[in-house]
Amino acid sequence: MSSSSSPPAILRFFEQAGELGILFIQTLKNLLRKPREKRIFIQQMDEIGVRSLPVVAITAAFGGLVFGFQTYTGFYEFIGSGSEAYSGAIITLGLTKELIPILVGLMISGRVGSAMAAEIGTMKITEQVDALFSLGADPIRYLVVPRTLAALVMLPALILFGDIIGIICAFAFNLLMGVNAYIYMKNTLLYVEVWDVVTGMIKGGVYGVVIAQIGCWQGLKTQGGAEGVGRATTRTMVIAAILVLILNFFISKALPGDLNI
Amino acid sequence: MIHMEELYKSFGDKKVLRGLNLDVDKGETMAVIGQSGSGKSVLIKHMIGLVKPDSGKIIIDGVDICCLTLKEFYDIRRKFGLLFQAAALFDSLTVAENVSFGVERYRDHTPQEIRKIVTESLDLVGLRGIEDLMPHELSGGMKKRVGLARAIAYRPEIILYDEPSTGIDPIRADAINDLILRMQQELKVTSVVITHDMVSAYKVADRIAMLYNGEIIETGSPQNIQQSSNEIVQQFIHGHAEGPIKEW
């Protein structure tokens, strides 16, 4: 179809949102149907979770360091010497509720989402997806469901891992700067609740589903050889990263600040 | 066994099938010939439910598959084995896992039985001892044969071959032709072979159908096709650049 006859951008947007919505409904329908592809689910847990540990560790470590550094500087310059010890709660809340979920979400969009699009896209253009169908396997159940479930499980785990690394690095930086460790820890434990960590992990679960769905959706609609795979990969990265940022705001607004209200 | 009636299919502005009619009888090998891009692959993808027609009927063993849900279509689909043009082996699985893929889903067998079926299927296509290799370790001809072993492993009643001799040298192409004949003789299957290789079509087919402009314009035995008075058929089977077929 020539570009002159392609539908307007707004229609294309709704068309694509519809495609993604249909894929999500099909994924939900296939969640409990047999046969369950346990082997692929475990493979994907390894791919999404275990193999992402180094990149998450580096991201969280430097995220924690820079956040610790800026908060320390802010307290020191604007409140006064000695007040930095009270930054622990702010650093930990900022890391667990916002910074680590966003950083992990963005890194996984790039590392995992685009890999899913590339793998499934290559399967699509080499007729492997058609082969799945002809051999009695539903491509949604075989490809999409295990990836989505694995991402749903592993993203919160990665965020928890990132939280630990980030908090330790921010704490270590403050210790190196001579902050009173006792006051820092005491304030952190006083103001930070388990719910704050859980909030970040809930975001992780949502990001996991979104990243996997977009990667699979773009992979399954790949056309046109290697160029098409490249386009699907790039689109996945861009769409997933933007959605992570947008969803982060809305989930932050939607979730209660603590469980007492 | 396969009855296609007044089949229409378009992709965007491109009309691929325009009222196609085709019958394939039980046990016969039908070769569908036609230019590249004429819709031959789309035709067999209709038979196996990978593509739905815009209108028309596809009747497999008396069942109109156009109206079936995915679940209802499952039993029809297991009647078919499909050899893809580039074999379409699963990159991440070994040869044995590729061959056993359909068996595990379509048949109820123990792991020992599945292993036996894999060995038998690979034997049937002349391959041994490659069960643990990955697809990227195989040559083009071996991939096609593994693809065929995968397609026959669950003993389908109909085998569809999409350009079986494309992309391999003439000797290997002839070996694939021999395999197609062997499948027909030993497994008594019905076969549909999509090809533009006339040597292959003459060798394997009981009947040949020519697809042109979205329709079957001629059907007959290889001898009838060779003697056809249709200029389009004559131009195609002799591979002449000049003639009524002008498209490139």
Side-chain angles (χ1 to χ4, degrees), chain B:
Chain B
M1 183 145 209
I2 303 173
H3 172 73
M4 304 176 99
E5 189 180 317
E6 286 297 304
L7 219 58
Y8 285 84
K9 181 69 186 176
S10 298
F11 295 100
D13 296 335
K14 188 172 165 57
K15 290 178 180 162
V16 180
L17 303 181
R18 308 173 189 212
L20 178 140
N21 294 291
L22 181 70
D23 282 291
V24 182
D25 298 329
K26 191 173 176 66
E28 79 165 338
T29 298
M30 167 72 83
V32 180
I33 59 171
Q35 293 167 277
S36 299
S38 61
K40 303 189 296 293
S41 297
V42 172
L43 174 66
I44 54 168
K45 284 182 179 175
H46 272 91
M47 291 178 188
I48 202 165
L50 281 166
V51 178
K52 294 267 183 198
D54 295 336
S55 66
K57 281 184 185 172
I58 304 168
I59 295 169
I60 310 291
D61 274 346
V63 179
D64 188 348
I65 64 167
C66 299
C67 319
L68 299 181
T69 62
L70 202 62
K71 207 172 174 184
E72 291 168 331
F73 191 67
Y74 189 82
D75 285 336
I76 299 286
R77 207 170 24 166
R78 71 200 294 175
K79 289 177 189 279
F80 287 93
L82 173 55
L83 173 60
F84 288 86
Q85 195 170 335
L89 300 180
F90 303 125
D91 301 327
S92 56
L93 304 183
T94 63
V95 166
E97 288 167 337
N98 263 285
V99 176
S100 65
F101 197 94
V103 184
E104 287 168 1
R105 279 157 181 83
Y106 284 137
R107 304 277 181 231
D108 195 17
H109 289 298
T110 63
Q112 290 80 8
E113 287 169 335
I114 289 174
R115 266 199 297 278
K116 194 168 167 245
I117 289 169
V118 168
T119 308
E120 280 172 5
S121 301
L122 286 170
D123 259 356
L124 210 56
V125 298
L127 292 171
R128 274 183 190 197
I130 62 159
E131 283 87 343
D132 295 327
L133 294 184
M134 297 302 287
H136 67 84
E137 296 174 280
L138 306 176
S139 68
M142 285 168 90
K143 279 183 188 169
K144 289 240 175 186
R145 286 195 279 172
V146 172
L148 183 54
R150 184 176 70 178
I152 60 169
Y154 50 93
R155 297 295 180 261
E157 295 167 40
I158 305 162
I159 304 181
L160 309 174
Y161 301 86
D162 189 2
E163 309 270 12
S165 56
T166 299
I168 49 177
D169 65 64
I171 295 167
R172 287 199 171 94
D174 196 50
I176 295 283
N177 292 337
D178 287 340
L179 274 176
I180 295 172
L181 290 170
R182 200 173 157 198
M183 294 304 123
Q184 195 186 9
Q185 286 154 8
E186 293 190 14
L187 305 178
K188 311 290 179 206
V189 291
T190 305
S191 304
V192 178
V193 183
I194 297 296
T195 186
H196 48 224
D197 174 0
M198 291 314 299
V199 175
S200 173
Y202 292 144
K203 182 164 183 176
V204 302
D206 297 316
R207 286 196 300 150
I208 297 174
M210 167 112 189
L211 176 63
Y212 179 72
N213 238 356
E215 291 177 81
I216 298 293
I217 57 165
E218 183 116 6
T219 307
S221 67
Q223 292 75 25
N224 290 343
I225 289 290
Q226 279 171 306
Q227 291 158 11
S228 169
S229 57
N230 189 319
E231 288 181 13
I232 295 170
V233 174
Q234 284 301 322
Q235 184 192 351
F236 183 82
I237 64 174
H238 292 109
H240 293 148
E242 295 299 320
I245 305 174
K246 297 289 184 198
E247 294 167 50
W248 287 81

Side-chain angles (χ1 to χ4, degrees), chain A residues 14-73:
Chain A
F14 283 113
E15 185 185 329
Q16 293 185 355
E19 283 174 13
L20 191 55
I22 290 168
L23 180 68
F24 184 61
I25 291 166
Q26 286 176 329
T27 307
L28 290 179
K29 276 186 181 170
N30 279 286
L31 268 182
L32 300 175
R33 284 187 189 154
K34 290 183 179 176
R36 297 196 185 109
E37 305 292 348
K38 287 179 200 155
R39 195 173 66 111
I40 300 174
F41 174 63
I42 291 165
Q43 271 176 1
Q44 287 300 317
M45 297 244 288
D46 177 54
E47 182 60 40
I48 297 167
V50 179
R51 288 170 193 266
S52 296
L53 286 176
V55 77
V56 168
I58 292 168
T59 310
F62 283 93
L65 284 172
V66 78
F67 199 49
F69 164 63
Q70 292 294 358
T71 315
Y72 168 87
T73 309

Side-chain angles (χ1 to χ4, degrees), chain A residues 2-255:
Chain A
S2 65
S3 58
S4 60
S5 61
S6 50
I10 187 78
L11 282 182
R12 276 210 311 277
F13 171 79
F14 283 113
E15 185 185 329
Q16 293 185 355
E19 283 174 13
L20 191 55
I22 290 168
L23 180 68
F24 184 61
I25 291 166
Q26 286 176 329
T27 307
L28 290 179
K29 276 186 181 170
N30 279 286
L31 268 182
L32 300 175
R33 284 187 189 154
K34 290 183 179 176
R36 297 196 185 109
E37 305 292 348
K38 287 179 200 155
R39 195 173 66 111
I40 300 174
F41 174 63
I42 291 165
Q43 271 176 1
Q44 287 300 317
M45 297 244 288
D46 177 54
E47 182 60 40
I48 297 167
V50 179
R51 288 170 193 266
S52 296
L53 286 176
V55 77
V56 168
I58 292 168
T59 310
F62 283 93
L65 284 172
V66 78
F67 199 49
F69 164 63
Q70 292 294 358
T71 315
Y72 168 87
T73 309
F75 269 80
Y76 183 81
E77 284 187 6
F78 301 119
I79 300 177
S81 177
S83 65
E84 318 87 72
Y86 296 93
S87 66
I90 293 173
I91 291 171
T92 308
L93 283 173
L95 286 174
T96 55
K97 292 182 87 164
E98 304 297 339
L99 194 62
I100 297 295
I102 285 186
L103 289 176
V104 171
L106 293 176
M107 293 308 289
I108 299 300
S109 301
R111 207 195 82 78
V112 174
S114 50
M116 282 181 191
E119 187 186 0
I120 297 176
T122 305
M123 288 183 75
K124 176 82 189 308
I125 61 169
T126 56
E127 295 186 306
Q128 290 177 55
V129 174
D130 287 348
L132 281 176
F133 181 83
S134 75
L135 292 165
D138 184 329
I140 304 287
R141 202 177 311 162
Y142 187 82
L143 296 172
V144 184
V145 169
R147 282 168 174 77
T148 306
L149 279 180
L152 173 67
V153 173
M154 293 317 290
L155 260 283
L158 284 173
I159 284 175
L160 181 62
F161 173 71
D163 286 345
I164 294 166
I165 300 281
I167 290 167
I168 289 172
C169 287
F171 181 53
F173 177 83
N174 276 274
L175 281 188
L176 284 174
M177 299 305 288
V179 167
N180 185 312
Y182 174 75
I183 300 173
Y184 184 100
M185 284 302 293
K186 191 183 166 195
N187 268 286
T188 303
L189 295 173
L190 186 64
Y191 292 109
V192 178
E193 295 172 1
V194 173
W195 174 246
D196 299 317
V197 178
V198 173
T199 303
M201 292 171 72
I202 291 171
K203 286 181 179 180
V206 176
Y207 299 161
V209 171
V210 168
I211 292 167
Q213 287 281 296
I214 290 169
C216 295
W217 166 54
Q218 285 294 321
L220 286 171
K221 63 183 279 183
T222 301
Q223 286 179 325
E227 195 188 340
V229 175
R231 266 200 304 270
T233 308
T234 311
R235 275 197 201 127
T236 298
M237 167 70 202
V238 173
I239 298 170
I242 289 172
L243 280 178
V244 163
L245 293 169
I246 293 172
L247 284 170
N248 183 62
F249 171 75
F250 286 106
I251 299 171
S252 293
K253 288 287 285 178
L255 288 176

